[in-house]
Amino acid sequence: MATMADVARSAGVSVATVSHVLNGTRPVLPHTRQAVLDAVDALGYTPNTLARSLVTSRTRSIGLAVSAISNPYFTEILQGVEAAALEAGYSLLIADPHDDPRHECKVVQLLHERRVDGMIVAPSADPSDLVGYLRRHAVPTVFLDRLIDARATEDVGPGDGADGGASSPSTPRFDQVCAESAAPTALLVAHLAGLGHRRIALVAGLPGLSTTSERVRGYREGLAAAGLAYDGRLLVSGNSESAGAERATADLLALSDPPTALVTANNAMTIGALRALRRHGRSVPDDLALCCFDDFAWADLFSPRLTAIAQPSRELGAQAVRVLLDRLAEPDRPARTVRLPCTFVHRTSCGCPEEPGSGTGDAGATASPTLVEKGTAS
């Protein structure tokens, strides 16, 4: 195999110059840089990443820990992470925490032992042990999709923080990237209320997740804005899974005064709700109008076509990588939370007629108009 010294001799430069060209550690004259790259190509030189990591203490790798990798939403996030990491010259190590706090800590520790430069993690409903581990070992981390709340940053004494000092319970110790949740959910409720529905139910996600609490908040805010009374019987938990949503939807249908419209809080629960409706002989939207949080590739193929909130899943993954790279470049920069807007995709499961010219992937109003960066999680 060709060595860096072989490249240097072929290009007529020093080994140090070859290193600067390949690692981007110092500006090099354009013609010299091109000579080095031509020699690399002619000799088939491949950098020894292991040797380079021993010198630089960097592996140029990122650990990604997200649950339910088979979920289309997280699959698209993964594609965004992978593309952005590759573009920046980073490799990706992936683990599935299975939304289990104990397993979560185990897989994050394994990723850390592989000496990844930083991590992107979609935390479980109880991330306290995870946060403690990441803080003790000062691991640069971006929380993705699900935010950690104030409880995850409490009880931090001197020496526990990444900077060796105490942290404020109101300030996140890590960067975070997520989509808006409350306002888009309120938009779905408002749309259904505008169609005349007065009993609108929500199949909510796993308790303890920020996405669940924010979508519940948006649901209640949407009801209040429409002048509708909140009925606790219409708020049920599907635990973010298809089977849980199927049971929860069946419970709603069994009420003496069942809902006439339903909002499901993620794509897996949409599938479960549709199964329950079919099993009970109910049709959408004739018997029950349906809107869902999360759009997915085949939502347009259902009959009727599913009205949904589309999250910018690939951009979420790419943004998480960019935020992590910013953290690696400036370890002492203030922590930030980046929220991306969602899009309301208007189809027919809500009971609206087919719009002229509508087709696959048609999108309506943006549910949140701008990207917002905040110093604290909301």
Side-chain angles (χ1 to χ4, degrees):
M1 294 179 63
T3 66
M4 192 176 289
D6 295 330
V7 173
R9 280 193 296 271
S10 177
V13 298
S14 68
V15 171
T17 298
V18 174
S19 176
H20 289 313
V21 170
L22 297 180
N23 297 313
T25 50
R26 195 186 71 184
V28 176
L29 291 172
H31 70 275
T32 302
R33 173 182 170 80
Q34 190 58 51
V36 170
L37 295 178
D38 289 344
V40 166
D41 185 56
L43 296 173
Y45 171 72
T46 302
N48 187 330
T49 54
L50 178 59
R52 183 168 60 186
S53 68
L54 292 174
V55 174
T56 64
S57 297
R58 290 285 182 90
T59 61
R60 296 195 71 81
S61 62
I62 295 172
L64 175 66
V66 295
S67 292
I69 289 175
S70 60
N71 185 316
Y73 170 63
F74 280 113
T75 300
E76 291 189 4
I77 283 182
L78 170 59
Q79 291 171 351
V81 171
E82 182 180 40
L86 182 62
E87 183 179 356
Y90 280 75
S91 59
L92 199 61
L93 278 68
I94 307 170
D96 189 338
H98 300 295
D99 272 333
D100 180 332
R102 288 182 298 179
H103 190 65
E104 174 179 68
C105 284
K106 186 179 299 182
V107 299
V108 164
Q109 181 177 347
L110 288 173
L111 289 173
H112 183 221
E113 289 173 355
R114 294 294 185 96
R115 296 296 185 263
V116 294
D117 294 337
M119 293 196 200
I120 298 173
V121 182
S124 69
D126 181 13
S128 53
D129 289 344
L130 167 69
V131 171
Y133 178 89
L134 294 171
R135 182 181 291 117
R136 285 193 305 273
H137 295 278
V139 182
T141 302
V142 174
F143 287 118
L144 175 63
D145 184 58
R146 302 142 173 196
L147 304 183
I148 59 170
D149 60 18
R151 290 172 298 177
T153 62
E154 288 175 351
D155 302 321
V156 181
D160 286 338
D163 57 359
S167 66
S168 166
S170 62
T171 304
R173 300 297 299 169
F174 306 95
D175 300 307
Q176 310 191 80
V177 175
C178 67
E180 293 284 2
S181 279
T185 306
L187 179 62
L188 292 180
V189 174
H191 180 65
L192 292 168
L195 296 175
H197 293 282
R198 293 296 175 262
R199 290 186 60 75
I200 303 171
L202 174 69
V203 179
L206 187 68
L209 297 180
S210 67
T211 47
T212 298
S213 60
E214 290 187 4
R215 289 168 198 174
V216 168
R217 175 163 59 84
Y219 165 70
R220 299 193 63 165
E221 289 174 353
L223 292 176
L228 302 179
Y230 168 71
D231 183 345
R233 296 174 301 167
L234 298 182
L235 174 59
V236 294
S237 176
N239 289 321
S240 298
E241 61 180 14
S242 177
E246 186 172 354
R247 291 189 295 269
T249 303
D251 291 342
L252 289 171
L253 297 177
L255 293 173
S256 58
D257 190 7
T260 62
L262 178 64
V263 176
T264 53
N266 78 1
N267 54 23
M269 292 190 292
T270 299
I271 301 300
L274 288 170
R275 284 200 186 105
L277 292 170
R278 183 180 62 183
R279 182 159 51 88
H280 286 80
R282 309 293 176 87
S283 66
V284 176
D286 295 335
D287 297 320
L288 187 139
L290 176 66
C291 291
C292 51
F293 206 108
D294 281 344
D295 197 23
F296 41 98
W298 56 88
D300 193 60
L301 302 179
F302 282 87
S303 181
R305 299 160 64 234
L306 297 179
T307 294
I309 292 294
Q311 298 192 75
S313 47
R314 292 195 186 192
E315 178 57 24
L316 283 169
Q319 183 69 32
V321 172
R322 290 192 285 267
V323 170
L324 179 59
L325 295 181
D326 287 346
R327 170 64 54 199
L328 294 175
E330 299 180 62
D332 297 327
R333 67 180 298 153
R336 57 178 169 159
T337 293
V338 179
R339 286 183 178 270
L340 299 181
C342 296
T343 302
F344 176 59
V345 184
H346 189 193
R347 300 191 181 106
T348 56
S349 65
C350 54
C352 293
E354 190 78 43
E355 295 182 352
S358 62
T360 302
D362 52 335
T366 300
S368 178
T370 56
L371 181 152
V372 180
E373 294 190 10
K374 301 177 181 179
T376 59
S378 56

